[in-house]
Amino acid sequence: MKWNALRPLVVAGLFVVALPAASARPDPAALDMCGMAPSFFEDFADFRVASRDLRGVNWTAHTPWNGDFGDARFADPGPGGPFSVSGGTLHITARKGRDGRWQSGLIAAADGTGRGHGVRYGYFEARMRMPAGPGTWPAFWLGAQRPASDKRPSLELDVIEYYGKFTDGYHVSYHLWTGNKATESHTGSIITVPRESLVREFHDYGLKITPRTIGYYFDRRLVWQTATPKEHVYDMYPIVNLALGSGYPIDQTPDPSVLDVKYVHVFRLDTAAHCG
């Protein structure tokens, strides 16, 4: 996805927010967690990842449909691999090998059999700090939890795609994949942020799915929203990766480059909950 492919979304007061008076109405941009119950919490105290089989672990190191991407190979876990944990933070590292080729890492909470840690309706959130430097392409996104052989229409929801060449914004995206370009739908926006802020600090990137809407959140404030399509019938599971490239050169990408992840949390929505 090219940087200029989407028009920026402007949300007044998104990053400088005055505290409301006690009598003020609730802020419609603030995240409402009514009806949400914890479903899958990864805080990296016991990080378990395998190559492709989810049995006995929480994550796999490749996409369940075997569709890895980008200009760095997604490597398996193990000695010399892309994953490490320190101080309660997962570090996904992209680095060059002795052969001069890049390797990096991806974690997916599902495998090709349809096993996974997903929910159909709920709230997904990751707290992350982006890597610095051009050519980096980290992301937090959701895939449809189903066997890899199931080719029915499904969603891909990109909570954040960050292109290291541009430090003053990130992409949110919605993709309805049908296998037919005439019926597919692809849309999204660019969320503007202070320059270098996503590299200097951790931030919360969230997405809330209800039967009516799909809302994208930055630090638990709504930044973009679209309608939930009738084709949304699957649970959705989280994916975090540090890819490189996406059409941009990687000759000046820092070696190593590191994506830091504090947690990945999934909440399930109780559609029968009474929320006032």
Side-chain angles (χ1 to χ4, degrees), residues 126-266:
R127 183 167 180 80
M128 306 191 298
R129 181 169 58 198
M130 300 299 118
T136 58
W137 181 26
F140 169 48
W141 50 298
L142 310 182
Q145 186 178 318
R146 58 182 184 169
S149 59
D150 188 341
K151 303 303 182 183
R152 288 175 292 173
S154 65
L155 290 179
E156 173 194 327
L157 303 173
D158 301 319
V159 189
I160 172 174
E161 284 187 279
Y162 178 74
Y163 299 88
K165 181 178 175 66
F166 308 97
T167 68
D168 58 351
Y170 69 93
H171 285 86
V172 296
S173 304
Y174 161 101
H175 303 280
L176 173 61
W177 300 105
T178 66
N180 181 347
K181 291 185 178 181
T183 58
E184 288 182 351
S185 178
H186 307 281
T187 186
S189 187
I190 297 170
I191 309 305
T192 302
V193 298
R195 192 175 300 275
E196 300 285 347
S197 60
L198 305 189
V199 170
R200 294 194 302 263
E201 303 163 345
F202 282 90
H203 291 279
D204 298 322
Y205 304 92
L207 185 139
K208 183 178 181 180
I209 308 174
T210 75
R212 295 181 59 190
T213 60
I214 299 173
Y216 295 71
Y217 289 81
F218 178 75
D219 287 338
R220 296 202 160 193
R221 297 188 60 78
L222 184 68
V223 293
W224 192 70
Q225 186 169 275
T226 190
T228 304
K230 66 181 187 302
E231 292 87 354
H232 175 50
V233 297
Y234 299 103
D235 287 352
M236 304 295 289
Y237 65 90
I239 306 170
V240 177
N241 63 261
L242 174 52
L244 300 183
S246 186
Y248 296 107
I250 60 172
D251 57 315
Q252 297 183 36
T253 301
D255 180 16
S257 292
V258 183
L259 170 65
D260 296 323
V261 188
K262 283 288 188 183
Y263 62 74
V264 179
H265 291 168
V266 178

Side-chain angles (χ1 to χ4, degrees), residues 41-129:
F41 269 36
E42 176 62 88
D43 297 307
F44 304 111
D46 181 24
F47 177 56
R48 291 173 291 160
V49 58
S51 176
R52 298 182 185 275
D53 192 323
L54 203 64
R55 287 177 294 186
V57 302
N58 287 330
W59 303 93
T60 58
H62 300 274
T63 61
W65 59 93
N66 197 29
D68 291 350
F69 51 89
D71 294 334
R73 176 179 63 90
F74 290 137
D76 290 337
F83 309 115
S84 62
V85 177
S86 64
T89 299
L90 171 67
H91 311 289
I92 302 179
T93 300
R95 60 168 61 90
K96 285 184 180 180
R98 293 181 179 178
D99 59 0
R101 297 180 179 180
W102 285 90
Q103 74 164 28
S104 191
L106 174 149
I107 57 172
D111 65 20
T113 69
R115 299 186 192 94
H117 304 293
V119 300
R120 183 179 180 189
Y121 301 118
Y123 179 68
F124 303 76
E125 184 175 87
R127 183 167 180 80
M128 306 191 298
R129 181 169 58 198

